[in-house]
Amino acid sequence: MRPAPGRSYVLRFISGKYQGGEFPIVNDKPIIVGRSSDLDMVLVEDMVSRKHARISMQQDQIWIEDLGSTNGTFVNGEKIKRARLKEGDRVLIGTSILKVIAGEAGRSDANEASRDLEKVAAARRTGQARTMSGSIEEVPLPDLLQLFATSKKTGVLVIRTETDDVGKIFMRKGIIYYATINDLDDVPPMKSIFRMLTWEKGVFDLETEEPPREFPNELSLSVQEVLMEGLRQLDEFNEIRSELPDLNTRLVLSQPIIAPMKELKGEELDILQLAHNYGHLETVLNKSFNTDLETVQVVLKLIKGSYLRPE
């Protein structure tokens, strides 16, 4: 879908040191982006080349072109040489993610817009070693992971939810090698990632670790592998979500158990034992070696078969 004729557009910074800033896109006024101080959009950071990219709008079509930058220009997670932009597209330049949004017709002065970006950066400046930050409502976790994978980021993606859960995904040159939620040893890395994919609200930071941490039994997974399986499980999980009791629900063995135990498979007996030992559904999910989807499928079967009852 091409931009609507006659509409005005802006580039909104939704992550990085300039987060919250905006830059207008004006017909027949190309924007040269880079680190050099004499350009239209000046982004002062090491991962941005002196002349990094050109963004232009001609006859209501917006185009972006990489100018031979060292670290590349990315649109919706894909590295590009030249591409057409539409409303809602996300552009990654250095550590900044910019989103194309419809804007009010107004200021078109590039110098003033660039000065405003510097004010935004100065207001956000902290002593913490963060390279990127933002909201997962603006940049959903799957999109974020794809951006980091394609641009081969190294660091710890930290996601903080409104309910005070803290997820961490450890990446090395775009490859996921570990993950935790609330630093719990009980929850395996893959299960942690799949669980984080269900989060829809929260903030993220890509933090650096010097030296990078090492873990026993590290993973070595491409983001594509993780997302293909994780999003499949998420779709199936959402289909049965309404049938599930609350995470704080206590699961107790039926007294007496009428259904024959011999009809249960080994993994179903394991879940039954976890429910008996730990009670609450959330703890059963954490302790189970199976994924959350596989575990809740078994729990529902045990409830429907009258082996367990929620209290």
mmCIF file of all heavy atoms in Angstrom, residues 4 9 18 27-28 38 84 87 90 93 113 116 121 135 157 166 181 185 197 202 226 240 265 267 289-290 296-297 303:
data_model
loop_
_atom_site.group_PDB
_atom_site.id
_atom_site.type_symbol
_atom_site.label_atom_id
_atom_site.label_comp_id
_atom_site.label_asym_id
_atom_site.label_seq_id
_atom_site.Cartn_x
_atom_site.Cartn_y
_atom_site.Cartn_z
ATOM 1 N N ALA A 4 -0.922 7.602 0.945
ATOM 2 C CA ALA A 4 -2.050 8.272 0.304
ATOM 3 C C ALA A 4 -1.603 9.623 -0.251
ATOM 4 O O ALA A 4 -0.840 10.341 0.396
ATOM 5 C CB ALA A 4 -3.179 8.464 1.324
ATOM 6 N N TYR A 9 4.012 12.810 6.223
ATOM 7 C CA TYR A 9 4.537 11.700 7.010
ATOM 8 C C TYR A 9 5.736 12.157 7.829
ATOM 9 O O TYR A 9 6.423 13.125 7.474
ATOM 10 C CB TYR A 9 4.948 10.533 6.094
ATOM 11 C CG TYR A 9 3.768 9.913 5.396
ATOM 12 C CD1 TYR A 9 3.310 10.439 4.183
ATOM 13 C CD2 TYR A 9 3.079 8.846 5.960
ATOM 14 C CE1 TYR A 9 2.203 9.901 3.556
ATOM 15 C CE2 TYR A 9 1.974 8.311 5.331
ATOM 16 C CZ TYR A 9 1.536 8.834 4.137
ATOM 17 O OH TYR A 9 0.436 8.317 3.528
ATOM 18 N N TYR A 18 17.451 8.429 20.514
ATOM 19 C CA TYR A 18 16.579 9.519 20.065
ATOM 20 C C TYR A 18 15.100 9.179 20.226
ATOM 21 O O TYR A 18 14.246 9.838 19.620
ATOM 22 C CB TYR A 18 16.887 9.861 18.607
ATOM 23 C CG TYR A 18 18.318 10.263 18.372
ATOM 24 C CD1 TYR A 18 19.247 9.323 17.894
ATOM 25 C CD2 TYR A 18 18.770 11.545 18.648
ATOM 26 C CE1 TYR A 18 20.578 9.686 17.692
ATOM 27 C CE2 TYR A 18 20.100 11.907 18.448
ATOM 28 C CZ TYR A 18 20.993 10.970 17.977
ATOM 29 O OH TYR A 18 22.308 11.323 17.784
ATOM 30 N N ASN A 27 7.999 16.157 0.511
ATOM 31 C CA ASN A 27 8.131 15.902 -0.928
ATOM 32 C C ASN A 27 9.309 16.674 -1.527
ATOM 33 O O ASN A 27 9.485 17.870 -1.260
ATOM 34 C CB ASN A 27 6.842 16.330 -1.650
ATOM 35 C CG ASN A 27 6.068 15.120 -2.154
ATOM 36 O OD1 ASN A 27 6.657 14.155 -2.629
ATOM 37 N ND2 ASN A 27 4.753 15.180 -2.042
ATOM 38 N N ASP A 28 10.113 15.959 -2.321
ATOM 39 C CA ASP A 28 11.226 16.553 -3.070
ATOM 40 C C ASP A 28 12.295 17.182 -2.174
ATOM 41 O O ASP A 28 13.057 18.047 -2.627
ATOM 42 C CB ASP A 28 10.700 17.603 -4.068
ATOM 43 C CG ASP A 28 9.742 16.988 -5.088
ATOM 44 O OD1 ASP A 28 10.027 15.861 -5.540
ATOM 45 O OD2 ASP A 28 8.720 17.619 -5.399
ATOM 46 N N ASP A 38 27.209 17.696 9.025
ATOM 47 C CA ASP A 38 26.660 18.572 7.992
ATOM 48 C C ASP A 38 25.478 17.949 7.243
ATOM 49 O O ASP A 38 25.029 18.476 6.231
ATOM 50 C CB ASP A 38 27.759 18.966 6.992
ATOM 51 C CG ASP A 38 28.361 17.750 6.285
ATOM 52 O OD1 ASP A 38 28.112 16.605 6.740
ATOM 53 O OD2 ASP A 38 29.084 17.940 5.287
ATOM 54 N N ARG A 84 10.980 0.679 -0.937
ATOM 55 C CA ARG A 84 9.890 1.642 -0.779
ATOM 56 C C ARG A 84 9.294 1.484 0.603
ATOM 57 O O ARG A 84 9.113 0.356 1.094
ATOM 58 C CB ARG A 84 8.822 1.410 -1.850
ATOM 59 C CG ARG A 84 7.925 2.634 -2.046
ATOM 60 C CD ARG A 84 7.248 2.572 -3.378
ATOM 61 N NE ARG A 84 5.846 2.209 -3.223
ATOM 62 C CZ ARG A 84 5.028 2.034 -4.257
ATOM 63 N NH1 ARG A 84 5.500 2.130 -5.481
ATOM 64 N NH2 ARG A 84 3.781 1.724 -4.063
ATOM 65 N N GLU A 87 3.365 3.434 5.395
ATOM 66 C CA GLU A 87 3.003 3.756 6.775
ATOM 67 C C GLU A 87 3.077 2.502 7.646
ATOM 68 O O GLU A 87 2.598 1.432 7.263
ATOM 69 C CB GLU A 87 1.592 4.341 6.823
ATOM 70 C CG GLU A 87 1.181 4.830 8.202
ATOM 71 C CD GLU A 87 -0.190 5.472 8.200
ATOM 72 O OE1 GLU A 87 -0.747 5.690 7.100
ATOM 73 O OE2 GLU A 87 -0.716 5.742 9.301
ATOM 74 N N ARG A 90 9.067 -0.190 9.798
ATOM 75 C CA ARG A 90 10.092 0.115 10.797
ATOM 76 C C ARG A 90 11.467 0.050 10.138
ATOM 77 O O ARG A 90 11.780 -0.924 9.456
ATOM 78 C CB ARG A 90 10.010 -0.867 11.965
ATOM 79 C CG ARG A 90 8.673 -0.829 12.700
ATOM 80 C CD ARG A 90 8.679 -1.807 13.875
ATOM 81 N NE ARG A 90 7.398 -1.837 14.540
ATOM 82 C CZ ARG A 90 6.415 -2.683 14.241
ATOM 83 N NH1 ARG A 90 6.605 -3.583 13.287
ATOM 84 N NH2 ARG A 90 5.270 -2.657 14.895
ATOM 85 N N ILE A 93 18.454 1.854 11.813
ATOM 86 C CA ILE A 93 19.706 2.491 11.430
ATOM 87 C C ILE A 93 20.543 2.612 12.700
ATOM 88 O O ILE A 93 20.134 3.281 13.651
ATOM 89 C CB ILE A 93 19.482 3.881 10.807
ATOM 90 C CG1 ILE A 93 18.715 3.760 9.490
ATOM 91 C CG2 ILE A 93 20.813 4.588 10.574
ATOM 92 C CD1 ILE A 93 18.367 5.092 8.853
ATOM 93 N N ALA A 113 14.554 20.170 13.029
ATOM 94 C CA ALA A 113 14.235 18.794 13.435
ATOM 95 C C ALA A 113 15.467 18.095 13.994
ATOM 96 O O ALA A 113 15.392 17.365 14.993
ATOM 97 C CB ALA A 113 13.666 18.012 12.247
ATOM 98 N N ASP A 116 16.213 19.290 17.446
ATOM 99 C CA ASP A 116 15.277 18.695 18.396
ATOM 100 C C ASP A 116 15.687 17.271 18.764
ATOM 101 O O ASP A 116 15.514 16.841 19.911
ATOM 102 C CB ASP A 116 13.858 18.695 17.826
ATOM 103 C CG ASP A 116 13.221 20.081 17.852
ATOM 104 O OD1 ASP A 116 13.823 20.983 18.474
ATOM 105 O OD2 ASP A 116 12.155 20.254 17.228
ATOM 106 N N ALA A 121 17.989 13.372 22.735
ATOM 107 C CA ALA A 121 19.095 12.504 23.144
ATOM 108 C C ALA A 121 19.704 12.989 24.452
ATOM 109 O O ALA A 121 20.028 12.189 25.339
ATOM 110 C CB ALA A 121 20.153 12.457 22.048
ATOM 111 N N SER A 135 9.286 0.148 23.648
ATOM 112 C CA SER A 135 8.091 -0.535 24.132
ATOM 113 C C SER A 135 7.757 -1.699 23.213
ATOM 114 O O SER A 135 7.828 -1.563 21.987
ATOM 115 C CB SER A 135 6.922 0.452 24.173
ATOM 116 O OG SER A 135 5.686 -0.222 24.226
ATOM 117 N N LEU A 157 18.738 -8.893 25.622
ATOM 118 C CA LEU A 157 17.450 -8.232 25.450
ATOM 119 C C LEU A 157 16.656 -8.441 26.738
ATOM 120 O O LEU A 157 16.300 -9.571 27.078
ATOM 121 C CB LEU A 157 16.706 -8.824 24.252
ATOM 122 C CG LEU A 157 15.297 -8.279 23.999
ATOM 123 C CD1 LEU A 157 15.312 -6.775 23.777
ATOM 124 C CD2 LEU A 157 14.665 -8.994 22.807
ATOM 125 N N VAL A 166 10.495 -10.158 34.610
ATOM 126 C CA VAL A 166 11.671 -9.709 33.859
ATOM 127 C C VAL A 166 12.190 -10.882 33.029
ATOM 128 O O VAL A 166 12.620 -11.898 33.574
ATOM 129 C CB VAL A 166 12.789 -9.202 34.791
ATOM 130 C CG1 VAL A 166 14.006 -8.771 33.966
ATOM 131 C CG2 VAL A 166 12.293 -8.044 35.650
ATOM 132 N N ILE A 181 13.421 -16.201 32.706
ATOM 133 C CA ILE A 181 12.387 -15.318 33.230
ATOM 134 C C ILE A 181 12.562 -15.260 34.737
ATOM 135 O O ILE A 181 12.581 -16.295 35.410
ATOM 136 C CB ILE A 181 10.967 -15.811 32.870
ATOM 137 C CG1 ILE A 181 10.738 -15.721 31.361
ATOM 138 C CG2 ILE A 181 9.899 -14.988 33.613
ATOM 139 C CD1 ILE A 181 9.385 -16.221 30.906
ATOM 140 N N ASP A 185 15.764 -20.873 37.652
ATOM 141 C CA ASP A 185 16.471 -22.025 37.095
ATOM 142 C C ASP A 185 15.507 -23.126 36.667
ATOM 143 O O ASP A 185 15.852 -23.991 35.864
ATOM 144 C CB ASP A 185 17.450 -22.596 38.131
ATOM 145 C CG ASP A 185 18.579 -21.616 38.442
ATOM 146 O OD1 ASP A 185 18.922 -20.821 37.547
ATOM 147 O OD2 ASP A 185 19.090 -21.635 39.580
ATOM 148 N N LEU A 197 6.955 -14.681 24.331
ATOM 149 C CA LEU A 197 6.236 -14.339 23.099
ATOM 150 C C LEU A 197 4.761 -14.055 23.352
ATOM 151 O O LEU A 197 4.090 -13.457 22.512
ATOM 152 C CB LEU A 197 6.377 -15.469 22.075
ATOM 153 C CG LEU A 197 7.762 -15.626 21.428
ATOM 154 C CD1 LEU A 197 7.817 -16.866 20.560
ATOM 155 C CD2 LEU A 197 8.148 -14.388 20.625
ATOM 156 N N GLY A 202 4.939 -3.987 27.819
ATOM 157 C CA GLY A 202 6.179 -3.933 28.580
ATOM 158 C C GLY A 202 7.205 -3.090 27.860
ATOM 159 O O GLY A 202 6.957 -2.561 26.764
ATOM 160 N N VAL A 226 13.280 -20.224 16.304
ATOM 161 C CA VAL A 226 12.538 -19.978 17.535
ATOM 162 C C VAL A 226 11.143 -19.446 17.236
ATOM 163 O O VAL A 226 10.148 -19.906 17.799
ATOM 164 C CB VAL A 226 13.306 -18.987 18.440
ATOM 165 C CG1 VAL A 226 12.441 -18.536 19.609
ATOM 166 C CG2 VAL A 226 14.591 -19.619 18.951
ATOM 167 N N ILE A 240 -6.938 -22.466 23.279
ATOM 168 C CA ILE A 240 -7.472 -23.143 24.473
ATOM 169 C C ILE A 240 -7.372 -22.272 25.725
ATOM 170 O O ILE A 240 -7.736 -22.706 26.818
ATOM 171 C CB ILE A 240 -6.749 -24.483 24.736
ATOM 172 C CG1 ILE A 240 -5.243 -24.246 24.970
ATOM 173 C CG2 ILE A 240 -6.968 -25.453 23.593
ATOM 174 C CD1 ILE A 240 -4.485 -25.514 25.356
ATOM 175 N N LYS A 265 -0.644 -41.873 29.956
ATOM 176 C CA LYS A 265 0.711 -42.058 29.438
ATOM 177 C C LYS A 265 1.718 -41.566 30.471
ATOM 178 O O LYS A 265 1.372 -40.868 31.432
ATOM 179 C CB LYS A 265 0.885 -41.294 28.130
ATOM 180 C CG LYS A 265 -0.068 -41.736 27.027
ATOM 181 C CD LYS A 265 0.085 -40.850 25.799
ATOM 182 C CE LYS A 265 -0.914 -41.228 24.715
ATOM 183 N NZ LYS A 265 -0.841 -40.311 23.552
ATOM 184 N N GLU A 267 4.034 -39.211 30.384
ATOM 185 C CA GLU A 267 4.138 -37.761 30.576
ATOM 186 C C GLU A 267 2.907 -37.216 31.295
ATOM 187 O O GLU A 267 2.998 -36.228 32.042
ATOM 188 C CB GLU A 267 4.325 -37.053 29.236
ATOM 189 C CG GLU A 267 3.167 -37.244 28.258
ATOM 190 C CD GLU A 267 3.482 -36.676 26.879
ATOM 191 O OE1 GLU A 267 4.660 -36.683 26.489
ATOM 192 O OE2 GLU A 267 2.544 -36.230 26.207
ATOM 193 N N PHE A 289 8.936 -30.376 32.414
ATOM 194 C CA PHE A 289 9.971 -30.365 31.385
ATOM 195 C C PHE A 289 9.377 -30.079 30.008
ATOM 196 O O PHE A 289 10.091 -29.763 29.061
ATOM 197 C CB PHE A 289 10.727 -31.699 31.360
ATOM 198 C CG PHE A 289 11.595 -31.922 32.559
ATOM 199 C CD1 PHE A 289 11.300 -32.919 33.479
ATOM 200 C CD2 PHE A 289 12.706 -31.123 32.787
ATOM 201 C CE1 PHE A 289 12.106 -33.119 34.588
ATOM 202 C CE2 PHE A 289 13.520 -31.312 33.890
ATOM 203 C CZ PHE A 289 13.217 -32.320 34.807
ATOM 204 N N ASN A 290 8.063 -30.217 29.875
ATOM 205 C CA ASN A 290 7.396 -29.960 28.602
ATOM 206 C C ASN A 290 7.153 -28.463 28.428
ATOM 207 O O ASN A 290 7.250 -27.679 29.379
ATOM 208 C CB ASN A 290 6.057 -30.705 28.542
ATOM 209 C CG ASN A 290 6.249 -32.204 28.593
ATOM 210 O OD1 ASN A 290 7.232 -32.726 28.077
ATOM 211 N ND2 ASN A 290 5.323 -32.911 29.223
ATOM 212 N N VAL A 296 -0.270 -27.554 29.506
ATOM 213 C CA VAL A 296 -1.679 -27.196 29.732
ATOM 214 C C VAL A 296 -2.609 -28.146 28.981
ATOM 215 O O VAL A 296 -3.738 -28.398 29.431
ATOM 216 C CB VAL A 296 -1.975 -25.726 29.352
ATOM 217 C CG1 VAL A 296 -1.201 -24.785 30.247
ATOM 218 C CG2 VAL A 296 -1.707 -25.437 27.883
ATOM 219 N N GLN A 297 -2.164 -28.675 27.848
ATOM 220 C CA GLN A 297 -2.986 -29.665 27.146
ATOM 221 C C GLN A 297 -3.205 -30.892 28.029
ATOM 222 O O GLN A 297 -4.313 -31.434 28.097
ATOM 223 C CB GLN A 297 -2.326 -30.056 25.817
ATOM 224 C CG GLN A 297 -2.412 -28.981 24.748
ATOM 225 C CD GLN A 297 -1.601 -29.313 23.506
ATOM 226 O OE1 GLN A 297 -0.595 -30.036 23.567
ATOM 227 N NE2 GLN A 297 -2.019 -28.794 22.351
ATOM 228 N N ILE A 303 -8.102 -32.733 33.963
ATOM 229 C CA ILE A 303 -9.300 -32.139 34.583
ATOM 230 C C ILE A 303 -10.560 -32.732 33.964
ATOM 231 O O ILE A 303 -11.489 -33.141 34.665
ATOM 232 C CB ILE A 303 -9.279 -30.602 34.425
ATOM 233 C CG1 ILE A 303 -8.167 -29.999 35.289
ATOM 234 C CG2 ILE A 303 -10.632 -30.004 34.823
ATOM 235 C CD1 ILE A 303 -7.964 -28.501 35.084
#
